[in-house]
Amino acid sequence: MNQKNRCFKAVDTLYILMMVLPVIAGLIIKLLTKPASEGITITGAQIFFEIPMPVQNLLITESQVNSLFVLIMVFGLCLYLTHGIMGEKLMKRHLLAKWVVEKVEKMVVGNMGPYFKGFTSFVIAILALSGFSSLITLFGLFPPTSDVNIVAGWAVLVFILITYYKFKCGPVQYIKGLADPVALLPLNLIGEVATPVSMAFRHYGNVLSGSVISVLVATGLQGLSKLVLGFLPGFLGEFPFLQIGLPAVLSVYFDVFSGCLQAYIFAMLTMLYVSGGFPLELYEERKRKKQQKRLMAKTNGGN
């Protein structure tokens, strides 16, 4: 193995560690900080410490730390999939990365139009961040998508993008859109504010409800197993036989399928809200008028 191949594999190993070590670190932190509990425990993100602030103390919670771990994992995955992509021969992972980009780009163009083709990377980021934030619960870590504060931050970012594209035709056009017709102005204003709220609570509620249902079913099966099979001698009477199988199936649905589905829905809503709030025809017309004014100004200046 020559020096170039050794360096390539060493960098690959570094990227793989970026995907693995955050999970290990999250598990270690959970083992060291999680208080002992008995029975059903359905709680929010654990608060690690507080940072004093002028208005309100900044809480550093389990969801924030796990979000950072997810970012590192996604970053490592992206680096791994694209490492050496400019080489002479494409590897399988390069083809996988290319396939993902092409599929998401097709989805973006189909839902938003060719003008928003550059949104592909942003939509991929939403899908990866949301999906991995839900999937880390498979390792026993608290999913950041079960914290409304995390998802609300994403929704606020999307709301800023929506408002930005609505203002691209000018503030007058934006106000006219709200007051068309004038009688619906209050409802339109409420609708503007309701957009990020509905996006946040839809994503958060669906992920959290899955976690709650899984815990309740697992705990119920444990009690049922003890009630039905408690007559067995020794540890057999204490072993939760009825917990074998069903909780795992529920975990596959709520953690894998539902988590990925909610990521897809959040990305779709982002695309629809942004493109739906952007009057492309009016923007192109406004752009043409500005270009005509510049040409007329140059022509008059030359004369």
Side-chain angles (χ1 to χ4, degrees):
M1 184 182 296
N2 56 35
Q3 182 69 22
K4 185 177 180 180
N5 288 336
R6 284 198 295 267
C7 291
F8 188 88
K9 290 186 176 296
V11 175
D12 269 357
T13 303
L14 176 62
Y15 295 153
I16 293 173
L17 289 175
M18 288 178 65
M19 293 183 279
V20 175
L21 289 180
V23 176
I24 298 175
L27 291 173
I28 293 174
I29 293 174
K30 183 175 181 178
L31 289 174
L32 294 176
T33 60
K34 192 72 172 179
S37 60
E38 296 181 0
I40 299 176
T41 55
I42 303 175
T43 60
Q46 183 181 353
I47 300 175
F48 292 134
F49 57 90
E50 299 183 19
I51 299 177
M53 301 293 287
V55 178
Q56 184 178 357
N57 290 344
L58 176 63
L59 303 179
I60 303 301
T61 67
E62 193 176 9
S63 57
Q64 293 170 317
V65 174
N66 289 350
S67 291
L68 177 60
F69 289 155
V70 170
L71 286 174
I72 296 173
M73 291 167 59
V74 172
F75 185 47
L77 177 62
C78 293
L79 293 175
Y80 178 76
L81 291 177
T82 57
H83 182 215
I85 199 170
M86 301 303 292
E88 298 178 357
K89 185 179 179 181
L90 292 178
M91 303 171 67
K92 290 182 179 179
R93 54 180 163 175
H94 301 152
L95 297 176
L96 175 61
K98 183 180 179 183
W99 178 81
V100 170
V101 172
E102 288 177 348
K103 288 296 182 181
V104 177
E105 185 177 280
K106 183 179 179 181
M107 182 174 67
V108 170
V109 173
N111 288 283
M112 304 181 75
Y115 179 85
F116 289 96
K117 187 178 180 180
F119 251 69
T120 302
S121 56
F122 181 74
V123 174
I124 292 176
I126 290 176
L127 290 170
L129 184 59
S130 178
F132 277 90
S133 294
S134 298
L135 291 175
I136 63 170
T137 190
L138 294 173
F139 300 101
L141 299 177
F142 181 84
T145 44
S146 291
D147 190 338
V148 68
N149 299 292
I150 298 295
V151 186
W154 303 349
V156 169
L157 176 60
V158 172
F159 177 68
I160 293 173
L161 283 173
I162 296 170
T163 307
Y164 168 76
Y165 278 97
K166 285 184 177 181
F167 267 92
K168 283 183 77 72
C169 287
V172 175
Q173 181 62 38
Y174 176 72
I175 295 173
K176 284 175 63 178
L178 290 176
D180 186 20
V182 179
L184 294 181
L185 177 60
L187 292 178
N188 291 333
L189 290 174
I190 294 174
E192 291 288 296
V193 179
T195 297
V197 175
S198 64
M199 291 184 69
F201 278 95
R202 179 185 289 109
H203 197 320
Y204 154 76
N206 282 288
V207 175
L208 180 63
S209 62
S211 301
V212 172
I213 292 173
S214 297
V215 172
L216 291 176
V217 170
T219 306
L221 289 175
Q222 182 181 9
L224 182 62
S225 179
K226 188 174 181 180
L227 179 65
V228 175
L229 304 174
F231 65 90
L232 295 175
F235 78 95
L236 294 176
E238 298 293 332
F239 189 82
F241 286 99
L242 296 182
Q243 275 191 329
I244 299 174
L246 184 56
V249 174
L250 290 176
S251 178
V252 169
Y253 173 77
F254 288 118
D255 298 336
V256 179
F257 176 74
S258 182
C260 295
L261 179 62
Q262 294 307 317
Y264 175 76
I265 292 174
F266 193 89
M268 285 294 297
L269 289 176
T270 299
M271 291 186 288
L272 295 176
Y273 280 137
V274 172
S275 60
F278 179 54
L280 182 59
E281 295 180 356
L282 293 176
Y283 174 73
E284 294 292 345
E285 182 180 352
R286 187 167 180 254
K287 195 174 178 180
R288 284 194 297 269
K289 289 180 178 179
K290 284 185 176 181
Q291 290 177 349
Q292 290 176 358
K293 288 182 180 180
R294 291 195 191 99
L295 290 175
M296 291 179 61
K298 287 181 180 180
T299 303
N300 294 332
N303 293 334

